[in-house]
Amino acid sequence: MQNLLLANEAVARGAYEAGVKVISSYPGTPSTEITESAAKYSDMYVEWAPNEKVALETAIGASFAGVRAMSCMKHVGLNVAADPLFTVAYSGVNAGLVIVVADDPGMHSSQNEQDSRYYALSAHVPMLEPSDSQEAKDYIRKAYVISENYDTPVIVRLTTRIAHSRSYVELEDRIELETKIFKKDVSKYVMMPAMARGRHIKVEERENKLQADISNYNLNKIIMRDKKVGIVCAGNVYQYCKEATNASLFKLGMVYPIDVDAIKRFSQEVEELLVIEELEPFIENKLKAHGVKCRGKDVFGIQGEFSVAYIREKLYGEKSPKPERSIPVRPPVMCPGCPHRSVLYALKRLKLTVNGDIGCYTLGASEPISAVDACVCMGASIGMSHGFDKANPENSKKTISVIGDSTFVHSGITGLINAVYNKGCSTIMILDNSITGMTGHQDNPTTGKTILGEETHQLDLKTLCEACGASSVRIVDAYNIEEVKKVVKEELERPSVSVIIAKRPCALLLKKHSPPQKILEEKCRNCGMCLTIGCPALEKRNSGVAINRELCVGCKVCNQMCNFGAIVQGDANE
Amino acid sequence: MSNNSYKTNILIVGVGGQGSLLASKILGSIAKIIGYDCKLSEVHGMSQRGGSVVTHVRIDGEVVSPIITPGEADYIIAFEMLEAYRWSYYLKKDGIMIVNKQKILPMPVIMGKEKYPEDILNDLKANNINICEVDGLQLAHKAGGSKTVNVVLIGVFCALNNIPFVVAEEALCQSVKEKFIAMNKKALMLGYESACKSK
Ligand SMILES: Cc1ncc(C[n+]2csc(CCOP(=O)(O)OP(=O)(O)O)c2C)c(N)n1
């Protein structure tokens, strides 16, 4: 049967068919739907871990214990999981272990554009890259075979355009595998210097062997067409090259190790060799190092996404239509009723330096709230405020961290422990909307539910922060601007580490809304104060302001903004 | 579109949260029912928070890239007028643009830093673009909920593209949860009928 699946769903299906028993992941666009979709197969145990490192370690444990295992994450997630990755590359596996990593060229939803292929190179782990959903499923199955044949973890790399595209997939049955026995073997499973030296030799051996065997796995494909130009490509770029040109194509399914000899032979069949790849010159540099004459980044550049139109323009100078008019941009915004808005607004009014973090609240860096002053990576806000504090203790009276519930559990806790341990006096605000919002609402340890929606222990943030040694942990209503301001001011004065938890559920998850608010025209002075809160449901009209009833969820934050009492509770059936 | 072929490039544009994912899913189901190859490119993640969202749907005997090249879209289904304006350069000559006459103001406009262009539809028409205007919100309310605007617009598209109603209906049933089927069927029907009338 054929199904129209996202490549992410096809990866989950591939894992199911390959007999995978354990999947542990942390959400991150564009990888999230793999694990969400995998959770629907009752033959696999699937979980959200608190971060990518724990997720990969769980998968490693399951592999050592003898069942096929998988861990999925976005590109920056692999940075967090890099520590176990580099060493499990030495240990190898018992049952197959596959790591799926999704890169985001063009940064649709990411803070950087890093190229994960370099992880394969530097950890010496094979990497496969599919070009559509069918291949995504097939490659996952092959990845498990390679993992077990060569005693190595295998990375499968996706990019946004693959992960979030749908195409037909032929479904097959699941293979059921016996659990392998975990045999005590200190030289393989305990990586201390003496053993690791031995394993490093094995890593090199297995890589050489795989390099020689690549063609056995039918992952690379040659399509001979016009022989003037031959193009080496992989993944989504292969689809673009196939459509944009009539050139002969060498499509890599295995992007590490690269079958240089096969590409050399291909290059002899064509007049000119081109490498077309998004992001870094990963394939190109390898070929050049082996003396293969080719062109690549001198034509195509390293930034952003490619497309059929882009390739035609670069190769043939063909222009496709471009936007003609200048049209107001539509940046992503915090939703109407988002509990982050009022908190960030309060922080802005207090003129604080706000070390932000990664989540929906990062949108508070945009106008008109413009409250967030810095944002690096998940969990960084807490360490950064501690750094501000240590750079000059005066800073801590006007600096605050904001971090979401999921991000705090991901990698904020250690930052808090550090600030307390080292006698800091920073103030940390946890924006607890009881969900992992930005990535599309995944449960996490603070929600008290598993990925299947089953009840589980609910991590209590207040108790946790107190146990870490925060001298004060207070809870505020995120919608109440004055309360937030008052409590923040008090806590900034405290000469020790304090935590403020602002609570309100994500507005997209509210089952019931209060009726939309309305504006009493006779009272409105058209001062525009309410617009400074940046709610998409408030619209500036020529005469005054209007509330968009389709968008308003009745959070009443704008009511607090009006000095003239012009914004009031509306009627449900107006 | 020629009569004997369903080869179609459809760009769905709108504002994050307006339900473009369901719309593209229904189109995918239609392709499957009529036995065509199909690729979709969706938007998940940050832009779904009120940003400008573009979904590509390609239906053909064989589809290679999931992404439509500017100037090659047969249809643009626009959930919002400013987004129709923004993405109109994707439409091919003689293509058709289905526009929901709804305005959602982007933040720079809300703040008064920029103006929401007036007369978008007339300007597009002046540029020889075939426009099919739809009061999606009104039809959606009639169907029982403003959330069904996406399905209303799919109804309009199916009528214009000569896709039999029963096929659209079957695709819809494959794509929405049981408890929402009745309301969405009504929305599909209202969209379909409104386009048949204006044809
Ligand atoms: C290392 C890493 N993993 C995953 C992500 C993807 N990501 C971006 S925001 C986010 C979750 C934010 O959740 P939370 O902190 O609860 O804030 P909310 O969006 O709910 O406001 C995730 C997982 C990332 N950017 N970096």
Side-chain angles (χ1 to χ4, degrees):
Chain A
M1 198 183 56
Q2 286 217 322
N3 274 31
L4 204 51
L5 299 186
L6 282 179
N8 279 349
E9 293 166 345
V11 165
R13 179 73 199 187
Y16 166 78
E17 291 178 5
V20 168
K21 291 250 169 67
V22 172
I23 299 179
S24 183
S25 308
Y26 184 72
T29 314
S31 71
T32 311
E33 299 78 14
I34 303 171
T35 308
E36 287 180 328
S37 162
K40 295 181 185 141
Y41 297 93
S42 58
D43 303 284
M44 299 191 282
Y45 169 79
V46 180
E47 68 173 26
W48 287 129
N51 66 34
E52 294 85 353
K53 175 167 145 60
V54 175
L56 178 53
E57 288 156 353
T58 303
I60 291 170
S63 156
F64 286 5
V67 302
R68 286 186 169 182
M70 186 162 96
S71 184
C72 312
M73 58 203 68
K74 70 181 291 171
H75 59 336
V76 288
L78 195 50
N79 302 337
V80 178
D83 198 10
L85 170 70
F86 276 76
T87 303
V88 76
Y90 280 31
S91 282
V93 304
N94 185 16
L97 173 64
V98 172
I99 299 152
V100 184
V101 62
D103 284 5
D104 191 14
M107 292 176 276
H108 293 268
S109 294
S110 304
Q111 67 267 38
N112 76 27
E113 209 171 9
Q114 73 186 45
D115 190 331
S116 298
R117 294 178 298 178
Y118 286 98
Y119 272 114
L121 172 76
S122 52
H124 293 283
V125 169
M127 179 181 262
L128 313 185
E129 183 170 351
S131 71
D132 62 17
S133 300
Q134 180 68 51
E135 279 186 0
K137 195 200 77 167
D138 295 344
Y139 283 15
I140 290 289
R141 296 182 57 151
K142 286 189 183 180
Y144 280 101
V145 174
I146 293 169
S147 172
E148 287 168 4
N149 285 355
Y150 296 84
D151 192 8
T152 175
V154 174
I155 305 177
V156 174
R157 176 193 191 234
L158 306 173
T159 53
T160 303
R161 290 298 181 181
I162 294 293
H164 287 161
S165 290
R166 285 179 194 275
S167 55
Y168 286 115
V169 177
E170 192 76 48
L171 306 188
E172 291 161 88
D173 291 335
R174 175 173 167 94
I175 46 170
E176 284 298 344
L177 298 164
E178 298 255 326
T179 300
K180 295 186 175 175
I181 294 164
F182 175 70
K183 278 194 274 245
K184 190 176 169 79
D185 181 354
V186 179
S187 70
K188 174 172 164 61
Y189 293 120
V190 182
M191 286 301 92
M192 295 158 66
M195 295 75 138
R197 278 182 209 116
R199 289 305 300 181
H200 199 176
I201 295 167
K202 298 255 189 236
V203 169
E204 200 179 329
E205 281 170 7
R206 79 166 180 233
E207 190 166 293
N208 291 339
K209 183 166 182 327
L210 177 59
Q211 176 89 49
D213 296 350
I214 293 177
S215 59
N216 297 350
Y217 291 94
N218 285 329
L219 284 156
N220 299 336
K221 197 161 84 178
I222 294 175
I223 301 173
M224 285 318 281
R225 303 193 294 183
D226 185 10
K227 292 187 171 180
K228 256 208 162 77
V229 178
I231 300 174
V232 183
C233 52
N236 46 321
V237 177
Y238 159 72
Q239 304 286 8
Y240 304 155
C241 292
K242 194 171 164 198
E243 183 164 326
T245 76
N246 192 31
S248 295
L249 305 174
F250 191 108
K251 174 190 178 293
L252 287 166
M254 184 179 283
V255 291
Y256 188 82
I258 293 177
D259 195 346
V260 179
D261 289 339
I263 297 177
K264 267 189 188 157
R265 288 193 295 275
F266 172 74
S267 74
Q268 281 151 14
E269 306 251 330
V270 295
E271 285 173 34
E272 191 197 349
L273 193 70
L274 264 176
V275 182
I276 307 187
E277 56 190 323
E278 287 171 337
L279 305 180
E280 304 295 323
F282 180 81
I283 303 169
E284 181 183 347
N285 284 354
K286 177 78 181 173
L287 294 181
K288 284 185 170 158
H290 282 76
V292 182
K293 227 179 117 205
C294 59
R295 298 185 66 191
K297 290 297 165 188
D298 54 328
V299 186
F300 287 96
I302 62 168
Q303 279 162 37
E305 282 193 299
F306 294 175
S307 63
V308 170
Y310 182 75
I311 290 171
R312 281 187 188 147
E313 185 176 333
K314 291 287 172 193
L315 288 185
Y316 313 124
E318 269 176 37
K319 297 252 190 288
S320 55
K322 299 247 151 59
E324 295 150 21
R325 314 174 181 85
S326 98
I327 290 173
V329 293
R330 190 187 295 279
V333 289
M334 287 180 272
C335 305
C338 176
H340 301 333
R341 174 177 291 108
S342 31
V343 172
L344 290 163
Y345 176 78
L347 301 182
K348 181 188 172 181
R349 291 309 300 265
L350 294 173
K351 299 199 168 63
L352 302 182
T353 299
V354 177
N355 285 313
D357 224 295
I358 311 245
C360 289
Y361 38 88
T362 320
L363 296 169
S366 315
E367 290 189 289
I369 296 207
S370 317
V372 175
D373 295 295
C375 169
V376 175
C377 65
M378 286 189 82
S381 63
I382 299 180
M384 282 156 60
S385 288
H386 182 59
F388 268 70
D389 176 18
K390 292 302 174 187
N392 177 356
E394 279 306 302
N395 285 341
S396 59
K397 294 209 171 85
K398 43 187 199 312
T399 306
I400 194 162
S401 307
V402 293
I403 183 166
D405 47 275
S406 186
T407 302
F408 181 69
V409 178
H410 177 279
S411 47
I413 300 169
T414 39
L416 171 60
I417 292 172
N418 177 56
V420 172
Y421 169 58
N422 287 306
K423 303 180 179 183
C425 47
S426 45
T427 305
I428 295 153
M429 192 136 196
I430 302 177
L431 306 184
D432 181 6
N433 61 355
S434 311
I435 203 74
T436 316
M438 172 65 63
T439 43
H441 303 124
Q442 291 75 33
D443 278 293
N444 68 50
T446 71
T447 70
K449 295 233 170 68
T450 69
I451 192 170
L452 297 175
E454 291 166 353
E455 303 273 323
T456 181
H457 175 77
Q458 183 170 15
L459 177 64
D460 182 51
L461 289 175
K462 185 164 190 290
T463 314
L464 173 72
C465 294
E466 283 164 353
C468 291
S471 59
S472 153
V473 184
R474 293 167 74 179
I475 294 177
V476 295
D477 176 359
Y479 279 163
N480 189 332
I481 297 173
E482 283 312 312
E483 184 191 350
V484 171
K485 273 164 61 179
K486 177 172 162 286
V487 171
V488 167
K489 268 202 272 191
E490 288 168 9
E491 293 307 322
L492 286 170
E493 288 304 316
R494 198 184 292 276
S496 53
V497 176
S498 49
V499 177
I500 304 163
I501 303 173
K503 271 182 111 77
R504 272 285 173 177
C506 168
L508 293 178
L509 295 184
L510 293 177
K511 294 255 151 53
K512 255 193 159 155
H513 293 154
S514 305
Q517 305 302 288
K518 70 173 180 192
I519 299 205
L520 301 173
E521 275 176 31
E522 64 278 13
K523 289 197 174 172
C524 175
R525 308 253 183 110
N526 199 10
C527 65
M529 188 60 191
C530 55
L531 295 171
T532 61
I533 194 86
C535 176
L538 286 167
E539 297 177 354
K540 187 171 165 53
R541 296 278 162 85
N542 288 337
S543 60
V545 175
I547 289 178
N548 185 329
R549 290 180 55 86
E550 295 299 332
L551 298 177
C552 178
V553 297
C555 72
K556 303 189 188 70
V557 167
C558 57
N559 304 29
Q560 301 167 47
M561 299 292 292
C562 185
N563 290 325
F564 310 107
I567 308 181
V568 296
Q569 173 76 65
D571 208 337
N573 318 306
E574 250 171 76
Chain B
M1 194 202 75
S2 62
N3 292 334
N4 56 0
S5 152
Y6 284 107
K7 170 175 167 15
T8 323
N9 287 328
I10 310 146
L11 201 71
I12 303 174
V13 303
V15 179
Q18 278 192 301
S20 59
L21 287 179
L22 174 62
S24 63
K25 206 166 164 199
I26 299 172
L27 294 178
S29 297
I30 290 175
K32 192 177 161 190
I33 294 167
I34 60 177
Y36 270 64
D37 191 12
C38 174
K39 284 186 182 170
L40 309 174
S41 173
E42 303 176 349
V43 177
H44 300 251
M46 190 135 161
S47 290
Q48 283 292 354
R49 299 283 169 266
S52 168
V53 167
V54 193
T55 307
H56 302 247
V57 182
R58 302 191 70 186
I59 299 173
D60 200 344
E62 193 205 334
V63 183
V64 184
S65 156
I67 311 289
I68 299 169
T69 296
E72 294 182 8
D74 301 281
Y75 285 88
I76 292 180
I77 305 178
F79 287 27
E80 199 273 348
M81 289 206 290
L82 187 65
E83 297 311 309
Y85 213 27
R86 189 188 314 284
W87 299 104
S88 60
Y89 70 99
Y90 266 78
L91 200 66
K92 71 171 194 199
K93 246 176 115 186
D94 310 323
I96 298 176
M97 202 162 190
I98 300 166
V99 185
N100 176 29
K101 291 195 307 187
Q102 196 180 340
K103 272 190 191 179
I104 300 177
L105 305 188
M107 200 43 71
V109 172
I110 290 178
M111 284 153 38
K113 292 210 157 168
E114 291 197 60
K115 272 210 149 69
Y116 195 100
E118 282 170 35
D119 257 358
I120 290 179
L121 295 184
N122 284 334
D123 189 44
L124 289 172
K125 284 176 196 162
N127 280 290
N128 287 323
I129 291 181
N130 300 319
I131 303 269
C132 170
E133 298 171 36
V134 187
D135 192 341
L137 214 45
Q138 190 222 333
L139 295 177
H141 278 301
K142 222 162 140 187
S146 59
K147 285 259 179 276
T148 61
V149 169
N150 49 3
V151 176
V152 168
L153 294 170
I154 291 299
V156 172
F157 164 79
C158 289
L160 295 180
N161 203 23
N162 299 318
I163 291 168
F165 186 77
V166 284
V167 171
E169 203 176 22
E170 189 186 336
L172 174 78
C173 293
Q174 290 172 5
S175 311
V176 297
K177 284 204 188 108
E178 186 80 37
K179 61 176 175 181
F180 298 120
I181 286 185
M183 178 168 76
N184 278 296
K185 263 190 186 172
K186 207 165 161 198
L188 188 75
M189 172 78 88
L190 288 168
Y192 203 91
E193 281 174 350
S194 80
C196 288
K197 265 182 232 152
S198 66
K199 254 210 285 194

